[in-house]
Amino acid sequence: MRIVIDLQACQSTGSRHRGIGRYSLSLAKAMLENAKDHDCRLLLSGLFPETIADLQRTFAAYLPPEKIHVWQAAQPVAELLPENHWRCRTAELVREQALAELRPDMVHVTSLFEGSGDNAVGSIAANGNALPSAVTLYDLIPLVYKKQYLTTEAQQDWYYRKLISAKRADLLLAISEATRQEGIDYLELSPEKVVNISSAVDPQFTVRSASDESMLALRQRYGLLKPYVMYTGGIDLRKNIDGLIEAYAALPGHLRQQHQLAIVCSVQAHDRERLLALAARYGLAEQDLVLTGFVPDHDLPLLYQECKLFVFPSWHEGFGLPALEAMSCGVPVIAANTSSLPEVLGCQDALFDPRSIEAITGKMTQVLSDTQFAGFLREHGLQQARQFSWDASGKKAIAAFEQVYAQTDKMKRTSLLDKQPFLSAPVSTQKPRCAYISPLPAIASGIADYSAELIPALAEHYEMTLIASQDNVADNWLRAGFQIKDADWFAQNRAKFDRVLYHFGNSPAHLYMYALFDRFPGTIVLHDFFLGDSLAYVDLNDIAPGLWTKLMYEAHAYPAILAQRAAESHLDLIRRYPCSPALTLRADGVIVHSNYSKTLATQWIGAEPASQWQVVPHLRRLPHRQNKAEARTLLGLDQDAFLVCAFGMLGPTKLNQELMQAWDASTLAHAENCHLVFVGQNDSGSYGAELGAMLNDSPAQDRIKITGYADLDLYRTYLQAADLAVQLRTQSRGESSGTVVDCMAYGLPLIINRNGAMAELREDVAYGLEDQFSLTALQTALEQMFGDPEMRERLGAQAHAYIAQSRDPARIALAYRDAIEHQSQSVANALMHQTLRQIAAIETTSVSEQDWRITAQALAHNKTIARAPVIHLLVADTNADSIEQNLSTEARSLVESVLCQLDAGRIEFVKTSPLGLRYARRWAWRNFALRDAPVSDDLVHFQAGDYLFVGQHEIFDETKLASLTEQAGVRVVFDTISDAHALHFTGRDSDLIQQLMNQMMNQLRT
């Protein structure tokens, strides 16, 4: 489970120096210590830049830098100021988008009721998408005391908006049982939704030793000249400070003369004047009341410890943390008998009625006069404080998260697209508008034929417009039923569509889609995980110059395109590098036809992004099966012939030669009525030539045939006529075989090997060989199927029924709908479209150009890509690309060697510019003589955990450096070898560069 803790409570001006800030800091540490195998992250607000470095240092022992994220937004956003309305609402959406980028399983909001007067931003599902969320519930005091706290309409609107957010949360973590009951009663929540995790104090609040000199200095610093009665907390009305002053003034004269009353907290000037005037009215001398002002945390424990009595007279507390802090410091504590304080103190004799001045005075008098009672309270307090621990609170919080996650995960698993049942209710009464981008018939593409089957069924759920790049669409249903537009039209009309669906395959027929996707990303249906064959073809034949190189670089970085310079390596690179991650990591969602494709995705892009892919099986409409005898007549075959077919283009991955060898070794090769037909185009290279030679040498050469290219009519005729189909594969690259599904749809008994997606077929629908089968096993399968008509009949019928049940276009279209809509509400790339629309729709009289620009920059900054940390090497300090900045031959060789050895992470070359760091791609292309590609020197996108290697201190502005380290969590590494060389590659000393490369590699591996 990924837990993201929004730690603004430790940043906001209203909370960071008060109990909420201390509580949130300690609870976060305790949760991290008890998180077990959970993936925990911190989310910090960049709107409080002065707090970030301290929090990063504080949590450095708990989390690596890449797990501490900083989000940005336009400011100011204080909600009670009307001029901030647009920025405030926008910041909520920007923050929720930043959270979505992190793909959390649980978001913990440490303090939701913030932001009325500062730049804190907190909301739940303001964008309509409810991430699983938990909120720390400290109290509902403004709701309980509305007349005192919500005195203006603006305050009421702000607070009730926060209450609505709180009610949307999956879980409220109450800090006391009293607060838990408030949440249930006042927010009308079910009891299981509100969990008491209690509270504790920081370890610094304990009895400690201090010299007489240091204690004297402490008292003098805060004007404490006598033994004192202490209070700390806030100055809110409910804190009852007025009542405390009045009650203190009513103490017997000798006690007043012996003590001072110390109010230890920040006090605004107007409050200070009011409280001093109140004290004077009750007869207190100037030195009797001490208003210390703000006290740093390191002084507070000693101030507690030194006081004679701690009094907490609050009418209402969510927990009353100062009381527990004082008890932990060995101080006699008395408090109000209301809300949570009785459960904190755990002693009836220590409580008083806070509404009664006489009761407060009487209890203070009792403690100050009775040393035995004071000693009892001191010992009881120490024992009671041990009942509370952050460890226990952290464990309770994690357990509550786990319970919510288990329930949510169970719901997800029952609705996954490869489970049953599928969703059946319509998403809405109005169909979303969908742009369907794919080649269509009569393009010679299996995906074109696939789309012709899917589109009419998918139209039940979407209002569809087809985007194709072809002069003619040879399908009557598509031409009659849908608008068909070209890419230029779509580029002008993208805003009309709610969803955009791209069907990508390893074919040049999809070429027009790459430029569209680059400008208008959408959901991808990835029919082939490896796209290099078609990309290399269009690039190397100057149909789309540089496209393969560009996508190779984006997906696989410099090692791939360095190897690409040698033409003899191209075939190996096509087979080795899929290129598809360049598309899928930018997609609004990815749909594939097999779990095997998700396995490949896990290998290439990681388990986390692959987990968001959805599997929708390959569809197939049941064909109209003609008379088998007619099909044989058309093919010139005897009616009693036994026809075995292998369908699809021939090539090494189809194992056609293995099938020929097993055939020749079997009894079928010597049976006059047995025929083997390869229905498809033969390989045009050496493999095809070898297969042709094998055919000519076969003892059954007159009954073996390769048809060559088979149009749809011929292909279907062989499907009608065949008695048995054999479909073999090796080195699967994520494709799903349409020919396998076709064979099953026609009720053909089928021999397969369990390679790639074919391994996912049910065992009862095909004769399944091992992936790495032997020729003997294939020979046995052929002979067994030939000699057992009942087996063939059974397998064919079961295959036909399987397709009818699981691959029906209406059912598959429903699964597509489920997948698309689920991803539109859960994948961060898709949510970005929604966020932008929602920001644009915020009602406002005007928005400054600066606010728009900063918001756009913030959204870009907050973007998170699931990837390993990137090492950025500073290679140039200006925008100039002069020849003087070129690497020497020796230096270039060394750098290439390091790049090609890289087995983890990614290296990028960067340079400075007036707007910040930019990629130095043109520099790299020139220095390493890479194949031309349309790349540009964009601004660098840093993520937490990235590295920046800087050679010379003086070429990098220290302010910018601090911004990188604090705001983005970038680890900046200066060269320790030489201030003059380092990774600023203008030097010629190859030995230094070699040492530096070694240093960099060691740093990466560490």
Side-chain angles (χ1 to χ4, degrees), residues 374-393:
F376 163 75
L377 289 182
R378 183 178 293 108
E379 288 303 316
H380 168 79
L382 287 169
Q383 294 296 324
Q384 175 71 1
R386 295 189 183 102
Q387 305 302 311
F388 301 87
S389 76
W390 286 120
D391 185 67
S393 294

Side-chain angles (χ1 to χ4, degrees), residues 143 265 619:
L143 186 60
C265 60
L619 92 166

Side-chain angles (χ1 to χ4, degrees), residues 301-323:
L302 290 176
L303 285 174
Y304 277 131
Q305 185 173 315
E306 188 71 1
C307 78
K308 193 77 172 290
L309 168 66
F310 184 82
V311 185
F312 207 59
S314 177
W315 297 337
H316 198 117
E317 288 292 323
F319 181 82
L321 192 61

Side-chain angles (χ1 to χ4, degrees), residues 807-820:
R807 305 303 178 90
D808 173 64
R811 183 180 185 82
I812 295 300
L814 188 59
Y816 265 105
R817 195 280 314 267
D818 291 349
I820 294 167

Side-chain angles (χ1 to χ4, degrees), residues 6-7 125 145 184-185 257 296 360 388 428 504 520 556 618 626 643 674 689 734 737 763 864 922 949 965:
D6 182 341
L7 212 56
Y145 300 98
I184 294 169
D185 295 342
Q257 291 173 4
I360 304 174
F388 301 87
S428 66
F504 274 102
F520 310 107
H556 308 296
H618 207 292
Q626 300 171 348
L643 177 60
C674 290
S737 174
E763 291 186 1
T864 300
R922 289 194 294 265
F949 278 75
T965 56

Side-chain angles (χ1 to χ4, degrees), residues 51 128-129 242 315 419 429 481 617 625 674 706 752 831 859 982:
T51 68
N129 295 298
D242 294 19
W315 297 337
K419 303 287 184 181
T429 55
R625 290 191 285 183
C674 290
I706 300 174
I752 63 166
L831 291 173
L859 287 167

